[in-house]
Amino acid sequence: MLIASWNVNSLKSRLAHVIQWLKASNPDVLFLQELKGLEFPAAVFEAIGYRTVHVAQKTYNGVATISRHPIETVSTSLGGDSTDSHARYLETTIKGLRLINIYLPNGNPVGTDKFGYKLVWMDRLKSRLVALMDQSVPAIVGGDFNVIPEDIDCFSPKYWKNDALFQPEPRTRFRALNELGYVDAFRYFNQEPGQYTFWEYFRDMFGKNQGIRIDHFLVSSLLAERMTGCRIDKGPRGLAKPSDHTPILLAIE
């Protein structure tokens, strides 16, 4: 089973890229983040053999799960705060696997309510993952985590040192998920530096490979032995008018 994740930074702007990539890469499941709009082109995906579920929000956020297989929706919001209206979480079951698609808050600027929201959101996510682990539910969490886990995951720690993505609080929370038993799939297979999923648009950051790794798959230890690979596909980032992110793919038996 091939599961992919991609922050498309506006599905309306990048729909042609997504359809082209789906036809070429043929994943079983694709997580999308940052849809940025209430309209969702379900019929376009159905025409090429994909079912869809999504959670949308006007202008901001939004996540969608696209699958060749039947989808059972478990939850369209993350528990722990009934007032949180952000479209950032979509939990489904596909072929017996609990698949959780997230768009974790960015948190910038540091020292504001946005950063506090990011940390609380991560605490809520941990609570959910603890519950799934306690229930022995095999789960995969994928998406844009907006966390640079280690120094190896950015081209320059100095460049990112003041950014919310690089602060010790979210990085510690990310490691806590690993310690809970959720394996960073990409690092399980690849320890090389210079492996990124996001590059800023300016100063030819992509051409110079000056990026960060913030899109991740965390795989429950109940499933870790079934992983057969995890890789980053840089191709879509090199297209005209691309997303600033590129897809990451997880293969699991």
Side-chain angles (χ1 to χ4, degrees), residues 153-164:
D153 296 311
C154 65
F155 80 95
S156 168
K158 182 179 179 180
Y159 182 90
W160 289 97
K161 67 179 182 179
N162 295 320
D163 196 280

Side-chain angles (χ1 to χ4, degrees), residues 1 6 108 117 128 134 138 140 154 162 179 181 190 223 237:
M1 189 174 187
W6 189 2
N108 279 302
Y117 172 61
R128 179 57 182 157
D134 289 346
I140 297 171
C154 65
N162 295 320
E179 293 164 2
N190 189 319
L223 294 171
R237 184 61 176 83

Side-chain angles (χ1 to χ4, degrees), residues 9-12 34-38 57-62:
N9 190 17
S10 172
L11 181 57
K12 182 178 180 180
E34 246 190 308
L35 306 179
K36 289 187 175 180
L38 294 174
Q57 182 177 348
K58 186 178 181 180
T59 308
Y60 301 104
N61 306 322

Side-chain angles (χ1 to χ4, degrees), residues 111-131:
T112 66
D113 290 345
K114 292 182 178 180
F115 188 66
Y117 172 61
K118 179 190 186 84
L119 300 183
V120 170
W121 205 95
M122 295 188 77
D123 291 338
R124 291 163 55 201
L125 177 64
K126 182 182 177 181
S127 294
R128 179 57 182 157
L129 298 187
V130 166

Side-chain angles (χ1 to χ4, degrees), residues 52-97:
T52 66
V53 293
H54 71 280
V55 185
Q57 182 177 348
K58 186 178 181 180
T59 308
Y60 301 104
N61 306 322
V63 291
T65 296
I66 298 166
S67 172
R68 290 199 176 279
H69 313 285
I71 307 172
E72 176 188 346
T73 302
V74 177
S75 180
T76 57
S77 61
L78 179 59
D81 184 355
S82 60
T83 67
D84 186 357
S85 60
H86 288 198
R88 296 184 175 276
Y89 184 91
L90 180 56
E91 184 174 336
T92 60
T93 299
I94 300 173
K95 296 199 74 175
L97 297 179

